[in-house]
Amino acid sequence: MIILGSAPKPAGHSTRPPLPPFLGHQLAAFRRALLKWFAAKRRALPWRQSRDPYRIWVAEIMLQQTRIAAVVPYYQQFLERFPTIAELARSDEAEVLRLWSGLGYYQRARNLQRAAREIVELHGGTFPRDAEVARMLPGIGDYTLAAVLSIAYGKPLAALDGNIARVLARLGAVQMPLREPKTRRKLQEEAQRLLALRHSGDWNQALMELGETVCTPRSPCCGECPVARWCRARAMGLEAEIPAKRMLRRGVRVTLGAVVLCDPRGKTLLLRSPGHHDAVLFSRLRQFPAIEIIGDMRDGADDGVWEEAKRRATTQIRNYLRDEFALQKLPTKSFRQLPALRHAVTFRDVVLLPVLVRVPRLPQHPEGEAVPLQDVPHMPISSATRKIARAALATLGELPT
Ligand code: SF4
C-alpha cells in the first residue's frame, strides 16, 4: 500500500489513496521542508542536548504513555542520581523505583534497570549499536529501538509512535483505525520509505515534533504545517476525521476496599505482592491489603444507596481481615472509613474505599512488612497507595489517641 502522494483535490471518502506516491523530487522537497521546519522550531528539551544513547534511551522510556511536561523533572532527577548506565546497573531496585515514583507504569523502570545490568555484563557498559542485539534487551520494542539508534548513532531506522502514525495517516488520508496491526504494519513500511536516511535521528524527531505541536490529535494547526501542501487529509477536508475513531471498549467498573491497619506505635502493614485484581492499580509495588468488593457500588447511587454500599464493603473487608489475617472480633469503633477515591486506569474505572483499622498489634503475613505509616508517602509506591496513606494520616491527626 502506498499511502502518500501529492495532495489530491477534495473528493469523497476513500480508504484507497487515489494518487501515485511522491515522485523523486517531491519526496526530496517534502523531506527538506520538514527538516528545515524542525531545525527552526525544535523545542530545547533536556534529552535533546546530548547524543548519549543512555540519555536518549531513558527519555524514550519515560515518555512512553507520559506527557513531556510530566517527564522533564523526573528525567533530570533520574540522571542526576544515575548519570551513567553503570550507576543505574549497580543501584538498588528500590532506589530506582523511588525516583520513578509518581511516573506510573513501573515495569518500565524495572526493565530499564535490568537492561542496564545486561549492558554492563554483556556489552561493556555501552548501549549496543547493533539493532538485533539491542532488541534483545528488556523493555526495548521497535519504537524505542528505532528512536535510540537513529538519534544516538544515526542508524537508518524509522520510528513509529502514536504521534508519527497520526501524522502519516493524515498525510496519506488513511481512514483505517491506527491500532489495527495491518494498518500499523503499512504505516511502518511507509515511515521507512519516507525516512531521510542521512538525517534519520532528526527526521524521526521532526515527525514526532510535528505530531506533538502542530498535527495534534484534536484541531491540527494546518495553517502552520510545513508539509500541508502534500497532505491529503487537508486537501480532502478530512483532517478532523483522521485517525478513525476506535470502537470504545466498555469501561470496566471495579470497587476495591483497601485496609490501612494501624497499631499503637503508628506502624502499618504493607504487602509486597499484590493480588490479581489490584496489580495494575498499585503498579506491582508495595501496597495496603486490598480486596475487590463484590457487587457494583455505584449504580443509581444516591446518598442512601451509597451509604448502604459502604456498609456492604465494610462487611466484606471484615471477612477479608478474618480469613487472610486472622483478625477477628475487631470492635466497630476501631474502623474508620476514609474518603472514597476515584482512579481511572486504562479501561478500568476504579473506586477505592479505604478503611483505617486500629489494631492492638499488626498481624503476621508472608508478604507483609510493618512500616511507620508516616513513612509510607515517601516510599516507592503507586499514587493510589500514596493518596490512601495521606488520607489515613490526615484522619489519624483528627482522632483522639
Ligand atoms: Fe496534519 Fe494539517 Fe499538516 Fe496535514 S496539513 S499533516 S492534517 S497539520
Side-chain angles (χ1 to χ4, degrees):
M1 175 173 72
I2 292 162
I3 60 170
L4 293 182
S6 51
K9 298 279 178 265
H13 292 196
S14 163
T15 55
R16 291 184 63 111
L19 289 182
F22 282 123
L23 300 175
H25 69 280
Q26 283 181 301
L27 182 50
F30 171 82
R31 287 172 175 156
R32 267 199 309 278
L34 187 59
L35 286 170
K36 190 173 163 205
W37 170 84
F38 183 59
K41 301 281 185 182
R42 63 187 286 160
R43 290 168 294 173
L45 300 170
W47 43 90
R48 288 194 177 148
Q49 316 302 322
S50 158
R51 293 261 158 148
D52 177 352
Y54 171 57
R55 290 174 175 256
I56 295 161
W57 171 38
V58 170
E60 290 300 338
I61 298 292
M62 285 189 169
L63 287 165
Q64 289 167 11
Q65 285 132 338
T66 312
R67 288 174 308 107
I68 288 177
V71 164
V72 170
Y74 283 91
Y75 178 78
Q76 285 164 333
Q77 251 184 10
F78 195 88
L79 286 173
E80 267 167 37
R81 173 63 189 82
F82 309 117
T84 62
I85 293 181
E87 284 282 348
L88 177 60
R90 65 171 159 259
S91 58
D92 284 347
E93 184 185 273
E95 174 71 348
V96 176
L97 293 175
R98 192 181 65 76
L99 284 168
W100 205 273
S101 182
L103 258 187
Y105 301 100
Y106 294 87
Q107 196 56 28
R108 294 182 297 177
R110 295 190 180 98
N111 279 337
L112 193 67
Q113 193 188 30
R114 282 174 52 214
R117 287 178 175 162
E118 276 189 28
I119 290 172
V120 168
E121 280 166 27
L122 303 176
H123 309 299
T126 304
F127 195 93
R129 284 175 173 268
D130 184 313
E132 292 320 309
V133 175
R135 193 188 295 281
M136 306 300 286
L137 295 168
I140 302 284
D142 288 343
Y143 167 76
T144 310
L145 185 76
V148 176
L149 294 191
S150 66
I151 298 169
Y153 298 138
K155 295 275 179 181
L157 294 169
L160 186 74
D161 68 351
N163 280 312
I164 297 177
R166 181 176 62 259
V167 171
L168 295 185
R170 283 178 176 155
L171 284 166
V174 175
Q175 296 177 65
M176 280 100 71
L178 300 189
R179 284 178 186 241
E180 277 184 11
K182 193 171 150 205
T183 313
R184 205 81 186 171
R185 239 183 354 262
K186 295 298 177 189
L187 288 171
Q188 181 70 61
E189 283 168 17
E190 195 61 12
Q192 194 61 42
R193 190 179 73 79
L194 295 175
L195 183 71
L197 293 177
R198 283 185 293 135
H199 306 279
S200 55
D202 277 355
W203 179 259
N204 283 329
Q205 292 183 87
L207 278 172
M208 289 174 211
E209 189 88 341
L210 189 69
E212 280 159 9
T213 62
V214 176
C215 194
T216 48
R218 289 189 201 136
S219 319
C221 310
C222 301
E224 296 169 25
C225 179
V227 290
R229 58 186 271 229
W230 292 282
C231 179
R232 286 184 172 169
R234 177 160 164 79
M236 296 163 84
L238 293 177
E239 59 270 33
E241 288 165 48
I242 295 175
K245 304 274 176 295
R246 267 188 303 153
M247 294 281 285
L248 283 181
R249 188 169 173 185
R250 195 163 170 264
V252 178
R253 289 173 159 197
V254 181
T255 304
L256 296 180
V259 189
V260 183
L261 296 168
C262 187
D263 75 5
R265 294 174 304 155
K267 287 203 163 183
T268 191
L269 187 78
L270 292 183
L271 298 184
R272 279 182 288 268
S273 176
H276 65 281
H277 54 77
D278 39 9
V280 174
L281 179 63
F282 296 107
S283 311
R284 297 182 196 281
L285 297 167
R286 281 179 291 185
Q287 60 163 82
F288 294 111
I291 51 158
E292 184 168 346
I293 304 294
I294 308 301
D296 193 337
M297 294 286 144
R298 281 159 286 169
D299 274 344
D302 60 24
D303 284 351
V305 177
W306 181 234
E307 284 312 312
E308 171 55 27
K310 286 203 278 193
R311 269 193 290 279
R312 262 191 290 148
T314 305
T315 305
Q316 292 181 38
I317 288 170
R318 272 181 175 280
N319 294 343
Y320 169 60
L321 291 176
R322 181 193 64 205
D323 299 343
E324 187 73 20
F325 299 94
L327 283 171
Q328 309 202 43
K329 299 193 180 127
L330 291 168
T332 304
K333 68 174 187 196
S334 55
F335 281 73
R336 180 79 173 229
Q337 232 143 29
L338 301 172
L341 301 166
R342 287 296 283 272
H343 201 87
V345 184
T346 56
F347 59 92
R348 302 197 316 162
D349 174 17
V350 181
V351 165
L352 272 167
L353 295 178
V355 183
L356 175 65
V357 183
R358 286 254 176 91
V359 288
R361 76 190 62 80
L362 293 174
Q364 298 288 322
H365 190 280
E367 294 295 336
E369 183 183 0
V371 296
L373 180 57
Q374 63 182 14
D375 290 355
V376 174
H378 312 291
M379 296 170 73
I381 50 175
S382 72
S383 55
T385 302
R386 185 169 293 107
K387 282 184 202 165
I388 296 169
R390 288 196 175 128
L393 284 166
T395 301
L396 275 173
E398 294 163 7
L399 294 179
T401 49

